[in-house]
Amino acid sequence: MAQVTMHSLLNHTHPAVLVSHRRCMPFKAASPNRARHIRLTCQAAGQSSNMPETSCTQSRRSLLLAGGALLSLPLLSDKSLADMETNRSVISVRGLSAFQRSAQRNYLAQRSEKELKKVVTPEDAPTALRLVIHDAATFDVATGQGGLNGSIINSEELGREENKDLKSFVDKLAGVKKTIDDKGKTAGQEAISWADLIVLAAKVAHVQSWTAQKVKRASIAQDGSTIAEAFGAAFPVPLGRVDATSPDAPVQVPTQTASPAEVKRFFNKLGNENKGGFAAGKAPFWERPAFVLWTQAQPDPAAAEAALAEDNDFKGWKAKYDRSRRTVTRTEYEVDFITYFTKIANLGANFDGSKYLYPITLDLPRIK
């Protein structure tokens, strides 16, 4: 359970937050002498109190996570606060506002992506995407079973012929998961699911890959980084996927040398409810998303694109994305990738609306 205490108002606790009214509040202090610092924490009770301060951005989030209760405090000295009696209240998970729910999940996403960036590289992008595709590929439209549920990390499923070369990457992610989970205990936040982790890992790897390509093309490396940051497409990843407790049924996934026809059959079947007939529409993963996802999941994406482009159904998409990737921002290609990646990352996923949420305890001065 996260806790905001009188002690946390006066001392550094984890995650320690230093808030300057003049810098972070929506109002202006009357004078520098009246600008007081308030230290706020959202932490599990009993945790150590020697952690470093975080940024002002983190401060605003933590204040709002606490329900804005501190905004009603007068500008008092530390001694005055210490002498005050306190009132304790608890905001239950059910009582959290929509903003607080979103903020708690976003906090997990930010922590997770930060840890993933320390381990996952741009070179991991094809493997990370293939892990997502292979996990999602087990979705059975008729039964609603399978899909992106983290079952692929199960030793039985991971040991299958089509998945066994993904084990080294899963092992790499296991170390990251432990770090994320251990740090989450500080806030009383439950462990991140494997399903969410592998989706975030693929996102991180591809964004890093895109940034590296923009930096390489820029005459000055900083220009490429600036372009990637300022003009990169938004890449939201909703969290809350629930892990399966057992392996999914086997499914035939094309090999890396699969023909264009095999790739089309695989993706046409993926999540496709169409029974044919006059009213039948496109499959969820028709040629366009199939081209984007399949090629980027191969060890040599450029070679995979050239191979698929031998088929007329894919040829036009290669030409379209080549044009986009010749631009500075690569916007059209990246937007399409994010769209189709999100679709497959949610295929068969079971989302829990309360996952990663935790109650907040407030110990605040009693105003007389």
Side-chain angles (χ1 to χ4, degrees):
M1 179 183 294
Q3 187 175 32
V4 178
T5 65
M6 279 294 295
H7 175 77
S8 70
L9 289 170
L10 304 174
N11 299 279
H12 295 300
T13 45
H14 178 65
V17 179
L18 185 60
V19 181
S20 167
H21 288 318
R22 290 180 64 82
R23 290 182 58 207
C24 294
M25 297 304 170
F27 56 84
K28 182 178 180 180
S31 70
N33 291 332
R34 293 194 62 205
R36 304 296 185 187
H37 288 149
I38 295 178
R39 291 184 178 94
L40 166 70
T41 185
C42 283
Q43 69 162 57
Q47 297 296 323
S48 64
S49 59
N50 57 357
M51 302 301 289
E53 295 174 1
T54 58
S55 67
C56 190
T57 300
Q58 175 71 25
S59 306
R60 289 194 296 267
R61 179 172 65 245
S62 298
L63 279 169
L64 291 167
L65 274 173
L70 294 181
L71 297 181
S72 62
L73 289 177
L75 298 178
L76 301 170
S77 68
D78 286 356
K79 184 178 185 303
S80 298
L81 285 171
D83 292 339
M84 277 189 169
E85 296 180 359
T86 61
N87 286 326
R88 169 167 290 192
S89 63
V90 178
I91 304 176
S92 67
V93 169
R94 177 176 290 185
L96 294 173
S97 68
F99 174 84
Q100 290 166 331
R101 289 169 175 263
S102 175
Q104 289 185 359
R105 290 198 187 94
N106 287 342
Y107 176 55
L108 173 63
Q110 291 166 10
R111 287 193 300 108
S112 301
E113 290 187 24
K114 180 179 179 180
E115 296 302 328
L116 284 165
K117 288 175 183 177
K118 297 176 183 178
V119 177
V120 174
T121 68
E123 290 72 28
D124 288 321
T127 304
L129 179 55
R130 199 150 56 86
L131 183 62
V132 168
I133 292 174
H134 283 220
D135 194 35
T138 59
F139 182 61
D140 186 326
V141 176
T143 64
Q145 300 299 307
L148 206 143
N149 55 19
S151 66
I152 196 166
I153 64 97
N154 181 283
S155 58
E156 178 186 328
E157 189 169 334
L158 191 58
R160 294 170 186 164
E161 186 63 29
E162 67 272 17
N163 298 330
K164 62 183 182 181
D165 62 338
L166 297 169
K167 185 178 185 305
S168 61
F169 186 67
V170 170
D171 290 343
K172 179 189 286 191
L173 293 184
V176 182
K177 187 177 189 304
K178 183 179 186 307
T179 301
I180 294 169
D181 294 346
D182 287 346
K183 290 185 178 180
K185 291 177 183 178
T186 304
Q189 197 163 43
E190 68 180 282
I192 189 170
S193 68
W194 270 103
D196 281 337
L197 184 65
I198 65 177
V199 173
L200 283 175
K203 170 194 171 178
V204 166
H206 277 85
V207 171
Q208 287 181 330
S209 176
W210 297 343
T211 300
Q213 292 177 53
K214 291 170 185 176
V215 168
K216 185 177 180 180
R217 291 185 58 189
S219 57
I220 302 175
Q222 184 58 44
D223 290 347
S225 298
T226 300
I227 290 170
E229 182 176 348
F231 299 102
F235 201 154
V237 173
L239 300 183
R241 295 172 184 79
V242 178
D243 282 342
T245 56
S246 59
D248 286 338
V251 64
Q252 187 68 39
V253 181
T255 65
Q256 296 174 8
T257 58
S259 68
E262 290 175 299
V263 173
K264 280 193 286 188
R265 283 196 296 270
F266 169 72
F267 278 96
N268 181 68
K269 183 180 178 181
L270 200 59
N272 193 352
E273 295 181 276
N274 293 334
K275 308 293 185 183
F278 178 77
K282 288 181 179 177
F285 299 96
W286 52 293
E287 287 81 6
R288 185 172 185 173
F291 179 85
V292 172
L293 295 172
W294 176 257
T295 57
Q296 297 309 301
Q298 304 311 307
D300 186 344
E305 287 187 357
L308 283 191
E310 295 294 325
D311 186 298
N312 286 332
D313 289 336
F314 292 118
K315 185 176 182 180
W317 299 119
K318 182 181 186 307
K320 179 182 180 67
Y321 292 129
D322 281 345
R323 288 193 297 270
S324 174
R325 288 176 298 207
R326 283 193 293 268
T327 65
V328 176
T329 60
R330 299 159 41 96
T331 302
E332 187 170 18
Y333 170 75
E334 292 181 8
V335 167
D336 277 6
F337 179 93
I338 293 168
T339 299
Y340 302 136
F341 174 83
T342 301
K343 183 178 291 188
I344 201 165
N346 294 343
L347 187 65
N350 177 24
F351 285 88
D352 179 356
S354 63
K355 197 169 184 63
Y356 310 130
L357 303 181
Y358 48 90
I360 301 172
T361 298
L362 301 172
D363 280 347
L364 297 175
R366 181 180 299 167
I367 308 299
K368 297 180 180 179

